[in-house]
Amino acid sequence: KGKDTMGDLPRDPAQVIDQLSRTMQTLKDRLESREHQLRANVSYAALPNDLREMLQRRLGDLERQLLSKVAELEDEKSLLHNETSAHRQKTETALNALLDRVSELEKGNSAFKSPDEFKVSLPLRTNYLYGKIKKTLPELYAFTVCLWLRSSASPGIGTPFSYAVPGQANEIVLIEWGNNPIELLINDKVAQLPLFISDGKWHHVCITWTTRDGMWEAFQDGEKLGTGENLAPWHPIKPGGVLILGQEQDTVGGRFDATQAFVGEMSQFNIWDRVLKAEDIMNIANCSTNMPGNIIPWVDNNVDVFGGATKWPVE
């Protein structure tokens, strides 16, 4: 039958077509050469019947080989064309999808809003409107708490959040009560924070604390406004308590006081088990990075609301 001249098909369509032509021409040349040899060496009509039949079978085999090879090459060509077209179509589809996504994001289309872009609204100063975080805290030797809030309530915006454990209702509390400055309580110890957030505008607030020397920092809208020490030093935050949004707890999960209730809206309440760098806090406040809390992330199914408090998509 002779050596197969196909080899491996090149993947470039132009090279495939060129090799198809050369292979077909080689097979045709071989067939014509065999016929010329037969005619030059002996009179075909004078050959014995058995030899003539053998040559006819041989020529038939060569012809079928040629036709089979042509059909095989045509199939390979078709498969390669289909594969190339499918790959090109898949690539174009992916690129078009990316372009559409970029366009939608540039337009600020709500179709691509993150599912955690929601806010909790607490419009009244009562002792029954609140939110509850389903997850609890592990034992902590440091933390960072960040949240967005908006309030114009007076006197004082109330309690954005509180964390109570058995035996200590004021394990962690952020509160602005009456005409007092906003305060951070750790294990019922108090630090006054130089934050000013009762102007009815959205503000980003971050509080960091470490048990080492009781060091704390207070950030507003990405800027560090205050720092201090000796706030419950060497006291680890106790695990297994209850995190409440909008109310100050006098017992674990209850006994709220309407005068200490938060009035307004809040969002993106996140807690980390470490002190975040000032650069990270600035990036979060500028919305230039997405950095969910590794202990408490702001996700819809982790926040329940009660008493008429509501969850709304962020505009």
Side-chain angles (χ1 to χ4, degrees):
K1 292 185 179 179
K3 186 178 180 180
D4 188 353
T5 59
M6 264 294 290
D8 293 330
L9 273 176
R11 304 315 296 166
D12 182 72
Q15 294 178 358
V16 170
I17 293 171
D18 180 63
Q19 186 155 345
L20 282 171
S21 300
R22 287 189 281 108
T23 301
M24 292 171 66
Q25 188 60 48
T26 298
L27 291 171
K28 288 180 181 178
D29 291 345
R30 285 168 52 194
L31 183 56
E32 290 175 359
S33 175
R34 183 61 58 89
E35 289 175 345
H36 290 157
Q37 288 176 4
L38 288 172
R39 291 191 179 97
N41 295 334
V42 64
S43 172
Y44 185 75
L47 290 173
N49 287 337
D50 55 348
L51 182 57
R52 189 164 55 245
E53 290 174 359
M54 183 194 73
L55 290 174
Q56 287 175 342
R57 287 196 303 272
R58 180 65 171 167
L59 289 172
D61 288 343
L62 288 172
E63 184 177 6
R64 284 190 294 274
Q65 179 187 1
L66 176 61
L67 293 174
S68 175
K69 182 60 69 175
V70 170
E72 180 184 338
L73 293 175
E74 289 293 340
D75 289 343
E76 290 283 351
K77 179 181 176 183
S78 177
L79 287 172
L80 181 60
H81 174 75
N82 292 340
E83 179 183 335
T84 304
S85 298
H87 180 71
R88 183 172 62 250
Q89 183 177 4
K90 184 177 179 180
T91 302
E92 290 176 352
T93 299
L95 287 174
N96 288 334
L98 287 172
L99 288 172
D100 290 344
R101 181 173 175 82
V102 170
S103 297
E104 294 292 348
L105 290 171
E106 288 175 343
K107 294 175 184 177
N109 193 300
S110 61
F112 294 108
K113 280 190 176 297
S114 168
D116 55 350
E117 287 188 353
F118 68 97
K119 62 184 179 182
V120 170
S121 179
L122 303 158
L124 301 174
R125 180 155 275 165
T126 73
N127 63 353
Y128 53 83
L129 270 73
Y130 66 100
K132 182 179 180 180
I133 304 295
K134 293 181 183 179
K135 291 183 67 176
T136 188
L137 299 182
E139 186 174 55
L140 295 175
Y141 297 89
F143 67 75
T144 300
V145 179
C146 293
L147 72 158
W148 283 92
L149 52 79
R150 176 169 65 179
S151 178
S152 57
S154 64
I157 65 169
T159 308
F161 74 91
S162 63
Y163 176 65
V165 297
Q168 181 51 272
N170 295 325
E171 188 69 358
I172 311 175
V173 181
L174 185 67
I175 184 171
E176 186 182 61
W177 184 25
N179 294 312
N180 300 309
I182 193 164
E183 295 175 337
L184 174 65
L185 282 69
I186 306 285
N187 192 31
D188 215 23
K189 309 302 187 292
V190 182
Q192 294 186 341
L193 310 183
L195 304 178
F196 307 94
I197 51 179
S198 58
D199 57 2
K201 299 178 181 179
W202 279 104
H203 291 287
H204 188 257
V205 172
C206 279
I207 308 298
T208 75
W209 174 86
T210 174
T211 185
R212 184 180 177 86
D213 294 325
M215 295 287 297
W216 60 268
E217 300 170 307
F219 294 78
Q220 180 174 324
D221 301 326
E223 181 182 357
K224 185 192 292 188
L225 297 186
T227 184
E229 60 183 15
N230 204 35
L231 176 59
W234 315 110
H235 168 77
I237 300 300
K238 296 175 184 176
V242 174
L243 261 171
I244 296 293
L245 302 178
Q247 296 283 355
E248 195 273 334
Q249 305 171 67
D250 283 340
T251 61
V252 177
R255 281 185 58 188
F256 305 142
D257 183 343
T259 64
Q260 298 175 327
F262 173 81
V263 182
E265 298 172 314
M266 67 179 70
S267 184
Q268 294 297 326
F269 177 83
N270 290 279
I271 301 181
W272 296 262
D273 61 357
R274 63 188 187 277
V275 174
L276 292 187
K277 298 177 182 177
E279 179 184 0
D280 290 333
I281 291 174
M282 177 62 78
N283 289 335
I284 296 171
N286 290 338
C287 301
S288 59
T289 187
N290 182 28
M291 194 173 168
N294 68 325
I295 298 299
I296 302 293
W298 184 252
V299 289
D300 189 14
N301 61 7
N302 191 39
V303 182
D304 285 334
V305 290
F306 300 91
T310 54
K311 289 194 290 186
W312 298 91
V314 174
E315 298 89 349

